[in-house]
Amino acid sequence: MPSLTRSEATRRATLIDVTSMEVDLDLDQGPDTFGSTTTIRFTCREPGAATFLDLRPHELASLTLNGEPIGPEELVDGRVELAGLAADNTVVAATTMRYSRDGQGLHRAVDPADGEHYVYGHLFLDAAPTVFACFDQPDLKAPYAVSVTAPEGWQVLGNGGATQVRPGRWELARTQPLATYFVTVCAGPYASVRTEHDGIPLGLHARASLREPLERQAPQMLEVTRACFDHYHGLFGVRYPFGEYHQVFVPEFNAGAMENPGCVTFRDTMVFRGAAARDEVLTRSNTIAHEMAHMWFGDLVTMRWWDDLWLNESFAEYMAHRTCVAATEFTEGWVDSTVARKMWGYAAERTPSTHPVAGGAALDTQAALQDFDGISYAKGAATLRQLIAHIGDDAFIEGVSAYLREHAFGNGTLADFLGFMERASGLDLGGWSRAWLLTAGLDVIAADQESGVVTRRAPAAHPADRPHTLDVAGFTGRREVFRVPVTALGDTTDCAELKAAPPAHIVVPNASDLTWATVALDSDTLAAVPRGLADIPDPQARAVLWAALVDGVCLATVDPRLVVETFGAAWPAEDNESVLNRVATAVLGRVIQTFLPPDEQDGAKAVVAKAAQELLSRSVPGSTTALLAARFLARSSADEGLLRDWAGRQHLPAGLEGDSDFRWLVVRNLAGRGLVDAEDIEAVRRDDDTLAGRLGALGARAALPGAEAKEWAWHELTTNRERSNYELNALAGGFWSEDDLDVLRGFVPRYFAEVPPLSAWVGADALGRVATLAFPARVVERATADASAAALAADGVLTPAVRRSIVDADSELREALRSRQRFDVTAA
Ligand SMILES: [Zn+2]
């Protein structure tokens, strides 16, 4: 299927304007297909000219242009030519469409808890033609009138407020102009909580089997929603323009959430069926704030073409953190940003796939999808913080507000956005945007207290002259000895205040994490960190230190053993839950498993287990901190007695008595150690026959050791076409968790031969994730890198999404090989 190119989109937008879209869906045709009839009205600036319609139906029943039939043979590769256009045109397409199982298009899922079916539309990035006929590009916006036939007893939700006009028949209010990619319909026996705020009807919805946790957690989610509406209304000076505001928690969702105007979809693991850590509630609140920011930035004003996707995401990412800190209880939001988001973005900068924040070519839609990463989100947001440091917050907000008003219900570009920033600030931003937005790479920042010099080193591959606004702080014991602001404009900056400050044991460049840079720690600081990190009173500075340590491991400048040592000493004393969760995940999931040689991994896991036990012992029973500690103990412990007790629901930590998600963590650990078998896992699943329970069971089965168990999991992963996107993730995520390299090694060549062909039935969005999870990252050997290089060298075999996953995973593998070479004298 050809991907829409930028030049095709430009030509089509020059030629036509879509004036209205009518979509009528019949979701009452059984579990496999649905009916879709679309009426498109559009004008043409050059009567007589031709354009094309996007349509990917299961069956095309009829198609007319201005009343004249067009035969089904005219549909080629998802396109139909529309020739001889009039000034005013009407296209009517009657089709049967297929539901998806990979989270793209109109996805249909069955809840095993009660057998109920749920449908939701996720049309980002280019799946709209699998649901209705359209001109699928972001700058051909039109108002939508959607009607839906659904089984009786279902509820229908969408971008416009829904009314049931007779049993099973729903009409949705005509919308403001929308881009195709954020049109949605959600339907099924969803459970709902409804209320209103400031004249805006609000709804929260989830599967019926999640009704109890949805109702229990609704007050917190609604409080955040209300606070964000108030905050954004005050900040932007433009009212929320899309009528009702529904937040729908849907099954098997690929992303975290999607900003469909008036009807945001979230992955429904965000409705916590068991105990929730503060970090998880923070992340959900941040996601709520992020999607709401998109109502203005992305939905009211949309990027003209996908190359400005960063403008949507950077802005929403930045606004979400800012708003959580300013308007909710999560005042620690920027610390979370350091460990949850910036570490992700720094990792993206280290791979060969790194790219500038803005100005990528994005020659077609699928190419644009590949830039949808830690650069577009985390770096973009950090760049906006630097922009604000550069031009001032008042100018930034004034510029944003003017941009939103000027381009309301239309589209904008980077040049438009910068124009508003320049007018509001009176500054020329040409040089600034070249260095920060149009050049890839991140600088290394270091501070030498003795000489008072701050150095900034741009990467050789991406030279740039980025000005940084940051601070440097020094700590000795529990005391902050100094904190000095620095504007780093050249490769070296003399900072008299730093030189004059009293000496400190630990010096933290970028301590407030204002800028985007790799922080290089001096050798005295590195030596002091294992004992000293826990004493630092500022959680933001601690987060920056953790990020610097993990980055250092990846860059082979910090010995992974130093990170494990620091973890054992500092982690149990940590009180910021984002730091606890994200750092433990990075240390357990990456530093230990890939950077340490195999014979040291068990010892390092024991350090994590001991730290988790220590934190659990000193935490208030039932607290969210105790929950995090228990989870990491369940994941890392080698204590068979403890694990068997917990799996059997004996002697559980307070608050985890009926927590099935916690039980699956324990069972997964037991499975990886070969201490349970497939029958035991099946027995636990019978106890928890839900979507989450089935995924827990699949992950645990995939984790079982031995050639036979691995063969089963691999076969399910690579050949069973009935598996949903989430089931594939569970299989791939569990597969590499055992330690027997002799067995795992055999699957290295099979990964490269058997995972890429999944593209025949798994969509790009879903497969990118599967290909990352299934990559043989545990087999840190030269042969794995060679196999990966060979796969990347073969032309025309890999889809763009799979290629991107392999490029990134290969780069991480090589980081581990380099580190082992530098720090492990016995490494192969
Ligand atoms: Zn977003």
Side-chain angles (χ1 to χ4, degrees):
M1 210 63 73
S3 188
L4 181 73
T5 67
R6 179 181 201 147
S7 56
E8 288 168 340
T10 306
R11 166 74 186 139
R12 194 158 62 174
T14 310
L15 192 65
I16 65 169
D17 263 327
V18 186
T19 47
S20 81
M21 295 283 296
E22 284 167 35
V23 178
D24 191 345
L25 301 178
D26 180 2
L27 308 182
D28 200 13
Q29 300 187 348
D32 299 321
T33 58
F34 61 96
S36 166
T37 301
T38 315
T39 304
I40 308 174
R41 294 194 173 77
F42 66 101
T43 58
C44 174
R45 291 187 189 83
E46 299 168 27
T51 189
F52 60 93
L53 181 74
D54 298 306
L55 183 59
R56 305 211 295 272
H58 174 57
E59 277 173 19
L60 176 57
S62 73
L63 176 64
T64 61
L65 169 64
N66 300 327
E68 295 294 321
I70 297 176
E73 70 284 356
E74 300 294 320
L75 174 65
V76 180
D77 283 344
R79 294 180 179 184
V80 180
E81 190 184 68
L82 304 177
L85 295 176
D88 293 289
N89 303 277
T90 304
V91 162
V92 182
T95 63
T96 301
M97 301 288 197
R98 193 169 273 289
Y99 292 111
S100 79
R101 288 295 290 138
D102 63 4
Q104 299 176 236
L106 201 62
H107 183 93
R108 186 163 177 135
V110 184
D111 186 346
D114 53 15
E116 296 288 359
H117 288 230
Y118 293 89
V119 166
Y120 65 85
H122 183 62
L123 307 195
F124 179 88
L125 176 100
D126 59 358
T130 67
V131 180
F132 50 82
C134 58
F135 301 106
D136 191 21
Q137 62 187 69
D139 59 345
L140 284 174
K141 290 186 172 185
Y144 279 71
V146 176
S147 42
V148 179
T149 301
E152 281 185 43
W154 279 25
Q155 180 172 198
V156 173
L157 300 155
N159 306 92
T163 309
Q164 187 166 205
V165 292
R166 59 175 188 273
R169 181 64 182 171
W170 297 75
E171 311 239 321
L172 279 64
R174 186 180 155 92
T175 67
Q176 296 282 6
L178 305 181
T180 43
Y181 77 88
F182 49 55
V183 173
T184 191
V185 165
C186 301
Y190 283 100
S192 299
V193 173
R194 288 173 187 267
T195 181
E196 176 271 345
H197 176 66
D198 191 14
I200 304 166
L202 303 178
L204 297 172
H205 316 270
R207 279 181 279 136
S209 64
L210 292 173
R211 176 184 293 281
E212 186 279 323
L214 177 76
E215 290 178 348
R216 179 159 41 85
Q217 293 158 40
Q220 191 275 334
M221 292 190 267
L222 290 168
E223 186 183 317
V224 172
T225 306
R226 292 188 184 100
C228 289
F229 268 128
D230 293 348
H231 192 75
Y232 291 145
H233 282 150
L235 211 52
F236 303 145
V238 178
R239 265 197 69 90
Y240 168 71
F242 296 109
E244 301 184 7
Y245 193 74
H246 295 279
Q247 300 178 87
V248 193
F249 294 84
V250 300
E252 300 171 339
F253 193 70
N254 283 323
M258 174 66 206
E259 65 268 24
N260 314 300
C263 190
V264 174
T265 40
F266 294 77
R267 58 169 52 219
D268 65 9
T269 49
M270 287 191 184
V271 176
F272 311 116
R273 60 183 195 143
R278 179 178 171 84
D279 180 50
E280 289 169 299
V281 184
L282 183 160
T283 299
R284 181 175 70 191
S285 304
N286 184 284
T287 308
I288 289 173
H290 176 112
E291 305 310 325
M292 291 180 71
H294 274 314
M295 294 300 128
W296 285 265
F297 222 94
D299 293 357
L300 177 63
V301 182
T302 306
M303 77 258 138
R304 183 160 300 287
W305 179 246
W306 298 110
D307 60 335
D308 275 329
L309 190 61
W310 75 276
L311 204 52
N312 282 4
E313 295 309 339
S314 309
F315 186 86
E317 169 105 6
Y318 167 73
M319 270 301 155
H321 291 297
R322 174 178 174 147
T323 304
C324 278
V325 170
T328 77
E329 66 175 295
F330 298 105
T331 51
E332 74 273 38
W334 288 117
V335 178
D336 183 68
S337 145
T338 302
V339 287
R341 309 297 288 181
K342 290 179 87 170
M343 282 170 71
W344 172 48
Y346 292 155
E349 288 268 45
R350 288 192 297 267
T351 90
S353 64
T354 190
H355 55 90
V357 172
L363 293 177
D364 62 44
T365 49
Q366 283 305 315
L369 185 63
Q370 305 317 312
D371 285 347
F372 202 52
D373 57 11
I375 309 270
S376 295
Y377 287 80
K379 183 179 185 179
T383 302
L384 288 178
R385 279 188 101 183
Q386 282 294 306
L387 175 66
I388 292 165
H390 191 66
I391 69 172
D393 194 52
D394 289 348
F396 176 74
I397 293 299
E398 186 191 318
V400 166
S401 180
Y403 172 79
L404 292 172
R405 270 176 282 141
E406 191 91 1
H407 292 276
F409 301 114
N411 298 79
T413 62
L414 168 62
D416 296 329
F417 179 76
L418 284 178
F420 282 97
M421 293 298 135
E422 289 186 331
R423 278 195 288 286
S425 66
L427 296 172
D428 175 356
L429 295 173
W432 184 91
S433 83
R434 261 192 307 284
W436 274 109
L437 295 173
L438 301 174
T439 310
L442 79 165
D443 299 335
V444 178
I445 299 263
D448 182 63
Q449 202 200 341
E450 209 177 311
S451 63
V453 172
V454 173
T455 56
R456 181 202 68 174
R457 195 173 79 246
H462 306 286
D465 188 15
R466 277 176 283 261
H468 292 261
T469 303
L470 69 152
D471 59 2
V472 179
F475 302 92
T476 297
R478 297 183 185 284
R479 234 164 12 94
E480 180 171 311
V481 179
F482 65 83
R483 184 176 292 254
V484 299
V486 179
T487 305
L489 292 171
D491 290 345
T492 59
T493 304
D494 288 315
C495 180
E497 234 183 307
L498 177 62
K499 195 173 177 183
H505 282 160
I506 292 181
V507 175
V508 188
N510 196 27
S512 299
D513 202 14
L514 253 186
T515 198
W516 178 257
T518 298
V519 168
L521 302 172
D522 66 73
S523 54
D524 290 346
T525 294
L526 263 184
V529 148
R531 294 291 127 199
L533 192 151
D535 286 338
I536 293 176
D538 173 16
Q540 181 65 74
R542 293 198 302 272
V544 169
L545 278 173
W546 277 117
L549 290 173
V550 172
D551 285 348
V553 168
C554 297
L555 292 164
T557 56
V558 172
D559 189 334
R561 297 169 187 94
L562 181 120
V563 174
V564 174
E565 184 192 351
T566 308
F567 188 92
W571 190 84
E574 181 59 56
D575 62 7
N576 181 287
E577 291 196 13
S578 297
V579 174
L580 280 172
N581 191 21
R582 305 294 176 161
V583 168
T585 300
V587 169
L588 199 55
R590 178 118 200 267
V591 174
I592 293 176
Q593 287 198 348
T594 62
F595 287 92
L596 284 179
D599 60 350
E600 292 182 35
Q601 291 181 9
D602 282 347
K605 271 193 226 165
V607 172
V608 172
K610 182 167 172 285
Q613 180 66 67
E614 208 178 314
L615 180 62
L616 182 60
S617 308
R618 75 158 183 78
S619 302
V620 178
S623 65
T624 56
T625 307
L627 168 66
L628 276 176
R631 284 183 186 166
F632 284 105
L633 185 54
R635 285 176 60 183
S636 59
S637 178
D639 180 344
E640 186 181 344
L642 174 89
L643 294 171
R644 286 203 184 283
D645 270 0
W646 283 1
R649 306 207 138 147
Q650 304 290 312
H651 312 301
L652 281 160
L656 291 170
E657 291 80 7
D659 194 313
S660 297
D661 294 327
F662 182 74
R663 194 183 192 193
W664 282 117
L665 286 182
V666 178
V667 171
R668 167 80 163 264
N669 187 346
L670 284 165
R673 294 170 191 277
L675 298 172
V676 289
D677 61 20
E679 300 246 309
D680 300 326
I681 293 168
E682 181 56 18
V684 178
R685 188 204 55 80
R686 277 196 298 272
D687 250 13
D688 179 24
D689 197 12
T690 60
L691 272 178
R694 290 188 178 196
L695 297 174
L698 271 183
R701 274 203 72 178
L704 288 173
E708 200 184 322
K710 289 298 169 206
E711 196 57 52
W712 177 86
W714 195 257
H715 188 77
E716 286 299 307
L717 174 71
T718 54
T719 65
N720 186 342
R721 296 191 177 209
E722 302 302 310
R723 292 292 185 197
S724 73
N725 51 342
Y726 272 35
E727 289 173 336
L728 296 176
N729 291 343
L731 287 163
F735 188 84
W736 299 98
S737 50
E738 73 151 308
D739 295 326
D740 187 350
L741 283 177
D742 288 338
V743 172
L744 295 181
R745 217 172 262 127
F747 289 90
V748 172
R750 292 182 64 182
Y751 169 85
F752 295 102
E754 295 167 25
V755 169
L758 265 67
S759 62
W761 65 93
V762 183
D765 223 5
L767 185 53
R769 176 120 189 94
V770 173
T772 300
L773 288 168
F775 187 87
R778 285 298 298 279
V779 189
V780 184
E781 296 172 357
R782 182 53 56 189
T784 311
D786 290 345
S788 150
L792 290 169
D795 274 344
V797 180
L798 305 176
T799 59
V802 173
R803 169 171 294 277
R804 174 63 187 268
S805 297
I806 294 180
V807 165
D808 291 351
D810 171 74
S811 164
E812 295 197 347
L813 175 77
R814 285 165 202 274
E815 286 176 350
L817 283 168
R818 273 195 297 275
S819 169
R820 287 199 194 180
Q821 203 166 22
R822 161 122 200 245
F823 293 108
D824 171 31
V825 287
T826 63

